[in-house]
Amino acid sequence: MIELRIHGRGGQGAVLAGNILASALAHEGKHVVAIPSFGFERRGAPVASFLRFDEKEIRQFTNIYAPDCLLCIDPTVGRAVNIFDGIKDDAIWVQTTAKSLPELQFSEKIATVGLCDAVAIARDIYGRSITNTIMLGALARTTGYVSLAALRAAIEESAFRDAGLKQNLDALERGYQETVVHNIERRAAA
Amino acid sequence: MNAVLQPKPNYIVCDGNEAAAWAVSLAQVDMVAVYPITPQSSLVEYLAKFIADGRLGAEIVDVEGEHSVLSVLQGATLAGARTYTASCGPGLAFMFEPYMRTPGMRLPMVMTIVTRDTLTPQSVWGGHQDAMSVREVGWIQIYCENLQEILDTTIMAYRIAEHHDVMLPVNVCHDGNYLSFATGRVELPDAAEVAAFLGQRDVNWHVALDPDRPMAVDPLTGGAGGPGPALFVRYRKGQCQGMQNSLAVIEEVHADWARRFGRHHAPLVEAYRMDDAELALVTLGSMTGAAKDAVDEARARGQKVGLAKVKTYRPFPAKKLAEILAPVKAVAVVDRSVSFGWNCGPLYQDTLAALQASNIPAMSCIGGLAGADITITHFARVIEACAELAEKRSPVDTLWLNEHD
């Protein structure tokens, strides 16, 4: 079972990203459960969403405390909450940022980093920083958990229509193409 | 999660609220009355959308509050309609007067309670306290463990409610937040097969608002003289009998569902890894999945532990639960609500009553209040406490699982 935690801010679509990802994973025959965290979510406030997937049935409906992977769709939410809290050894971190790897601080447990300047891409595509589908592309590129084709299918079946649909498909594609993946030599292991 | 609603041929990826809305749509109800309240809101929003899209050919009444919701549906049921609503928490409280009247009139409505903790302290999150607060009002109450069970049970609820030996309203309860907003894969049954499973609605043969069959609906009875007392007792006993009849009907309906759709859900109580179990957990609702995982982990460590999940909570399946628990040395009951009268959980009290002929020691554990999580780690603590109880056999205090989270 893979446990994924999505961090973002209210209004960026972290919960929707979880649901689209759930749909895509289900299309690929995986068992999947996505659960949003519950708060008085309002625009700009830190939010989280949880997703598990596995080859076998998932029975627990609980939050995730020890994720295998972090998908962070906001560049600064890491200042407000410790996004690395509880992560497993050799975890994967997919982050939207304009910075390069040496400029970033992150947990010693991280073994793989995928960086994508989703805010710049989002401004380009939508004229505002809605980063969720871009970062799903970044997730697919970094982790290989899900195919780009399945994500495309999930977005096509969603409520997005016409221009909005095209924008989101472009966003997914650009997220995938413009992500840089780094394999970290684990400092803890050294 | 409006963006991922579209059905695939055999399954959809949706949340628990949408799964309930699909069930209502498949049951082809005639009348829906709604007043949104969190975490139920999206459920009735899905229904409004299904009706607007023409997927569900029902009347929808967007009323001014929950008291009117149920009053509208009482009239509709008396006129012969299959009806539905959903509510929770403060909404359920505001609905209480017509809620109390519905089972006495033997109206076979189905209402989802998207369970939520009660005020106050102020909170908007899940817990069973709202449904538990109305556990003695006369509605059948069935709790769901997962998304598929929500869809399947909501459809089955109509056949249970409308059975002529039952004729009682049913609450299908699913946990606020953890099930209402959890998204996963749900198999969709075929609409024609659901229609065949449910059969023709026949909901007002006994009491009706019908110009061709004029009658006084719910006239004054009772008192201490004349025919009143005997008449009142006849109604009350009949209502109690209907509740008891429902136990067999619930089993029969689940068996027929399994035959037709290939999915078997334990109708009253599910026994999980109870063969040779020495310790047993008793659970209710969505906590059960994590509890089963904790049982598996404990079994892997060599502990003989099993689990009994109560699905039908009202009427209480006392005989079934007692049978399942009979061989064990100790029982730990996990509630997502409290009984203020007894300083323990209400399911614990019910379990004690069911076990009264045995001398199995039992303990009450309370967790998951107001949206708190009950994880595998919490259940591991419950199993440890249960093992200790089996050893010492002396009464233990209520264990509050999230007290030090």
Side-chain angles (χ1 to χ4, degrees):
Chain A
M1 182 169 62
I2 300 287
E3 296 187 313
L4 172 77
R5 193 166 63 205
I6 305 174
H7 291 277
R9 292 182 184 274
Q12 291 169 329
V15 173
L16 181 59
N19 290 340
I20 290 172
L21 180 57
S23 224
L25 287 162
H27 284 327
E28 293 191 330
K30 300 284 199 302
H31 290 271
V32 57
V33 175
I35 299 183
S37 74
F38 320 121
F40 281 104
E41 289 90 352
R42 61 219 178 271
R43 200 160 282 269
V47 296
S49 154
F50 312 106
L51 183 142
R52 293 185 171 88
F53 68 94
D54 203 346
E55 300 299 333
K56 55 184 176 41
E57 187 195 357
I58 295 164
R59 298 188 296 200
Q60 53 178 316
F61 286 85
T62 58
N63 297 339
I64 288 171
Y65 303 91
D68 300 277
C69 176
L70 299 171
L71 172 62
C72 187
I73 69 169
D74 180 84
T76 63
V77 72
R79 290 187 214 148
V81 295
N82 177 13
I83 62 170
F84 301 106
D85 190 34
I87 55 165
K88 291 197 185 87
D89 283 341
D90 298 323
I92 304 173
W93 174 38
V94 187
Q95 174 69 46
T96 178
T97 181
K99 293 178 181 167
S100 63
L101 190 65
E103 297 173 88
L104 297 167
Q105 290 188 328
F106 53 96
S107 163
E108 292 189 346
K109 293 185 168 185
I110 297 291
T112 307
V113 180
L115 300 180
C116 176
D117 192 359
V119 172
I121 299 172
R123 286 196 181 134
D124 197 22
I125 294 176
Y126 309 105
R128 59 198 175 116
S129 52
I130 306 296
T131 52
N132 58 351
T133 43
I134 300 164
M135 291 306 289
L136 287 176
L139 178 83
R141 178 68 174 272
T142 310
T143 64
Y145 289 157
V146 64
S147 71
L148 197 57
L151 284 169
R152 206 178 287 129
I155 288 174
E156 278 167 357
E157 284 163 18
S158 71
F160 297 127
R161 289 288 171 269
D162 308 324
L165 175 61
K166 188 180 178 308
Q167 282 177 326
N168 277 285
L169 290 172
D170 288 350
L172 178 73
E173 188 68 35
R174 284 192 60 185
Y176 188 88
Q177 296 301 341
E178 296 176 33
T179 295
V180 180
V181 181
H182 305 269
N183 290 306
I184 311 294
E185 199 172 321
R186 286 256 327 271
R187 287 156 284 180
Chain B
M1 51 157 289
N2 273 313
V4 276
L5 303 181
Q6 299 307 309
K8 296 296 285 179
N10 298 314
Y11 71 88
I12 50 172
V13 176
C14 69
D15 66 14
N17 279 352
E18 192 182 348
W22 274 98
V24 173
S25 186
L26 286 163
Q28 287 297 314
V29 305
D30 305 296
M31 175 74 97
V32 177
V34 299
Y35 196 87
I37 182 167
T38 193
Q40 164 261 34
S41 302
S42 66
L43 200 172
V44 297
E45 287 163 9
Y46 289 125
L47 282 173
K49 182 173 185 301
F50 288 173
I51 291 168
D53 291 349
R55 191 188 297 284
L56 171 59
E59 295 276 334
I60 185 165
V61 192
D62 193 2
V63 295
E64 72 280 10
E66 289 85 352
H67 188 282
S68 302
V69 163
L70 220 49
S71 302
V72 163
L73 296 185
Q74 286 179 352
T77 312
L78 287 165
R82 189 175 276 164
T83 54
Y84 178 80
T85 192
S87 192
C88 60
L92 183 61
F94 187 46
M95 186 186 274
F96 189 59
E97 188 266 331
Y99 181 87
M100 190 153 43
R101 185 181 285 256
T102 305
M105 291 206 290
R106 311 296 295 271
L107 301 179
M109 286 180 196
V110 174
M111 173 172 108
T112 298
I113 301 180
V114 185
T115 56
R116 171 177 161 174
D117 223 309
T118 56
L119 312 179
T120 214
Q122 181 67 251
S123 152
V124 297
W125 296 289
H128 292 160
Q129 198 70 44
D130 54 358
M132 284 294 167
S133 300
V134 294
R135 67 190 184 274
E136 298 303 350
V137 180
W139 288 60
I140 292 168
Q141 294 188 318
I142 304 179
Y143 282 75
C144 299
E145 175 182 340
N146 55 42
L147 304 176
Q148 188 68 57
E149 203 171 28
I150 292 172
L151 185 135
D152 294 351
T153 305
T154 306
I155 295 170
M156 285 191 276
Y158 282 97
R159 213 171 106 181
I160 295 161
E162 294 172 10
H163 193 288
H164 282 201
D165 295 341
V166 179
M167 296 306 289
L168 286 167
V170 178
N171 286 144
V172 181
C173 304
H174 71 246
D175 289 2
N177 304 115
Y178 289 101
L179 286 180
S180 64
F181 301 146
T183 294
R185 186 183 158 121
V186 177
E187 304 285 327
L188 264 192
D190 176 72
E193 285 173 31
V194 170
F197 170 80
L198 288 179
Q200 279 298 318
R201 66 212 60 191
D202 182 16
V203 300
N204 67 346
W205 52 276
H206 60 310
V207 56
L209 290 177
D210 181 351
D212 294 333
R213 286 186 290 157
M215 67 174 79
V217 172
D218 201 12
L220 193 66
T221 59
L231 197 56
F232 195 91
V233 170
R234 199 181 124 208
Y235 279 129
R236 269 288 189 267
K237 273 189 78 177
Q239 203 181 327
C240 288
Q241 191 56 52
M243 284 296 266
Q244 288 310 303
N245 293 348
S246 75
L247 289 166
V249 171
I250 291 167
E251 289 190 293
E252 175 192 312
V253 169
H254 279 70
D256 193 39
W257 181 267
R259 267 194 301 277
R260 288 170 186 252
F261 299 98
R263 283 190 297 277
H264 179 76
H265 305 283
L268 305 177
V269 185
E270 178 189 350
Y272 180 75
R273 303 196 76 168
M274 285 299 294
D275 295 339
D276 83 344
E278 293 177 355
L279 310 173
L281 308 183
V282 180
T283 63
L284 191 64
S286 72
M287 70 170 80
T288 306
K292 286 174 175 170
D293 287 350
V295 164
D296 285 2
E297 288 182 8
R299 283 272 180 183
R301 291 192 302 266
Q303 257 176 319
K304 289 184 175 174
V305 55
L307 177 153
K309 177 192 81 168
V310 174
K311 177 172 183 181
T312 299
Y313 180 66
R314 285 294 180 265
F316 196 71
K319 202 168 146 231
K320 187 78 187 168
L321 185 64
E323 260 168 42
I324 291 170
L325 297 179
V328 303
K329 292 180 180 164
V331 174
V333 184
V334 185
D335 275 277
R336 205 163 208 143
S337 62
V338 306
S339 164
F340 292 108
W342 288 89
N343 192 32
C344 63
L347 178 59
Y348 170 70
Q349 284 180 283
D350 292 301
T351 305
L352 284 188
L355 290 177
Q356 53 92 18
S358 77
N359 61 351
I360 304 168
M363 65 178 296
S364 179
C365 309
I366 293 174
L369 303 183
D373 208 354
I374 317 183
T375 62
I376 294 172
T377 312
H378 290 111
F379 280 111
R381 274 173 56 207
V382 172
I383 292 168
E384 280 321 299
C386 189
E388 204 172 305
L389 176 66
E391 193 99 340
K392 291 184 183 157
R393 298 189 57 83
S394 52
V396 291
D397 290 341
T398 295
L399 178 62
W400 297 77
L401 295 175
N402 305 102
E403 194 171 8
H404 306 293
D405 277 11

